Amino acid sequence: MTTVPTPHRTPLRRLSQGSLFRLSRSGAYPDAPHGLGFLEPALSELLDEVETLHTNIEGLRGLSNALGTFNESFASWLYVMNMNALTTDWPQAPTDASYELAARRAEEDALAAMAALKAAQASPPPPEPAVDQTHVTSELGNDTTFAANTTATTSNTNASGQPAKGITKKKGKPKMTVREKRERALAIDKVISALPLEFRGNDPKLRSHAETVIEGLLDREGRGVGILELVKPDVSQARVNKCLIALVNRKIVRKDNSTGVVLYHWQGLPT
């Protein structure tokens, strides 16, 4: 007689301590109607968990709204910047030609400074004044002294008996008072404000050169000034010429070449 094999059966899972089926069989609430008293603690726990879930979902919703607002604002800002870049011209922005011009000007300034330094080194030093040693005999004794006096400053008579002529010293620039310096600075600032934008822009060296040229013209006000009189070791002739062209165009300086020599006359700001 053949035996029939027992079919495989899945073993029953152990009931958890908090399952509804476990609570219904525990008999903890025998007085509850219809035997449903076990649902009360389970539903209380479910209510607490649902409230916690609701709070978390509200927090996620608030975070989503904040991110949405930020994304919209940031996208608007990027759009505005893009439109601004497409519709606004920047004429003062430097280009490749600007950098080449700046390098060429720096090279010209360096060459001019080197030439001025070589010229200063090549010029012979001024001769030392001759010293006249006069033999002086004291009337009170026989002591003899030697006094060294320069011929140009202390000698009263020469060999022929006529008074010696002293060496004329070049008069220096008169010193200005604090008030005059302040007024001069204000006048130069007004003139710079009337010049083109490049003299008032981001190149402080060009502004400094223009102030040097204007100050040189003010020091020689009342007479014509040649361009070479305004050239300094740190201000090349090309830079002086550029500043003078701007001043002539603004009618602050008058150019005169009637005598065959180009002279510049200071006129001041037009009223």
Side-chain angles (χ1 to χ4, degrees):
M1 181 176 177
T2 59
T3 58
V4 179
T6 307
H8 294 284
R9 298 192 180 191
T10 304
L12 296 177
R13 219 185 316 175
R14 185 177 178 181
L15 297 176
S16 62
Q17 298 293 331
S19 62
L20 295 179
F21 185 69
R22 174 74 179 178
L23 292 175
S24 64
R25 296 178 60 185
S26 63
Y29 304 94
D31 299 335
H34 308 289
L36 299 178
F38 64 93
L39 294 176
E40 183 177 356
L43 292 178
S44 299
E45 293 180 6
L46 179 62
L47 179 62
D48 294 339
E49 296 299 330
V50 169
E51 289 179 354
T52 305
L53 178 62
H54 178 72
T55 304
N56 294 337
I57 290 175
E58 289 295 330
L60 289 175
R61 182 180 300 171
L63 179 61
S64 176
N65 294 336
L67 288 175
T69 305
F70 171 76
N71 290 337
E72 184 178 356
S73 303
F74 189 67
S76 302
W77 180 75
L78 290 178
Y79 179 76
V80 169
M81 292 297 293
N82 191 18
M83 291 298 103
N84 186 39
L86 294 175
T87 57
T88 305
D89 294 332
W90 303 95
Q92 297 300 326
T95 59
D96 295 339
S98 303
Y99 292 111
E100 294 177 0
L101 180 61
R104 188 165 65 251
R105 286 177 178 174
E107 185 178 356
E108 292 177 358
D109 294 342
L111 292 176
M114 187 72 67
L117 182 61
K118 290 181 179 179
Q121 292 177 352
S123 60
E128 297 182 358
V131 177
D132 182 19
Q133 294 183 347
T134 308
H135 185 71
V136 181
T137 306
S138 175
E139 295 180 358
L140 297 178
N142 295 327
D143 297 336
T144 304
T145 59
F146 289 92
N149 300 318
T150 57
T151 306
T153 56
T154 59
S155 179
N156 294 327
T157 57
N158 54 13
S160 63
Q162 297 179 355
K165 296 182 180 179
I167 300 175
T168 14
K169 295 183 178 180
K170 185 179 179 182
K171 294 183 179 180
K173 181 180 175 182
K175 293 184 178 181
M176 301 174 64
T177 62
V178 178
R179 181 178 179 183
E180 290 175 346
K181 289 181 180 179
R182 192 186 309 115
E183 292 177 354
R184 172 68 64 86
L186 290 175
I188 293 176
D189 189 64
K190 288 182 180 179
V191 174
I192 293 292
S193 301
L195 294 181
L197 183 61
E198 59 177 331
F199 292 89
R200 301 174 276 117
N202 298 327
D203 189 359
K205 196 171 183 180
L206 179 59
R207 180 186 177 98
S208 175
H209 292 169
E211 291 177 353
T212 304
V213 172
I214 295 170
E215 190 170 0
L217 291 170
L218 290 175
D219 291 339
R220 301 167 178 83
E221 188 176 2
R223 69 177 182 87
V225 182
I227 188 172
L228 295 180
E229 298 182 56
L230 302 174
V231 176
K232 303 289 182 182
D234 57 337
V235 185
S236 62
Q237 183 174 351
R239 189 57 63 92
V240 172
N241 189 31
K242 181 177 182 178
C243 297
L244 289 174
I245 290 174
L247 292 170
V248 171
N249 291 336
R250 290 293 188 272
K251 298 183 179 180
I252 302 173
V253 173
R254 178 173 57 86
K255 183 178 180 181
D256 182 18
N257 55 356
S258 58
T259 59
V261 180
V262 179
L263 298 176
Y264 295 90
H265 298 267
W266 178 262
Q267 289 186 326
L269 287 172
T271 56

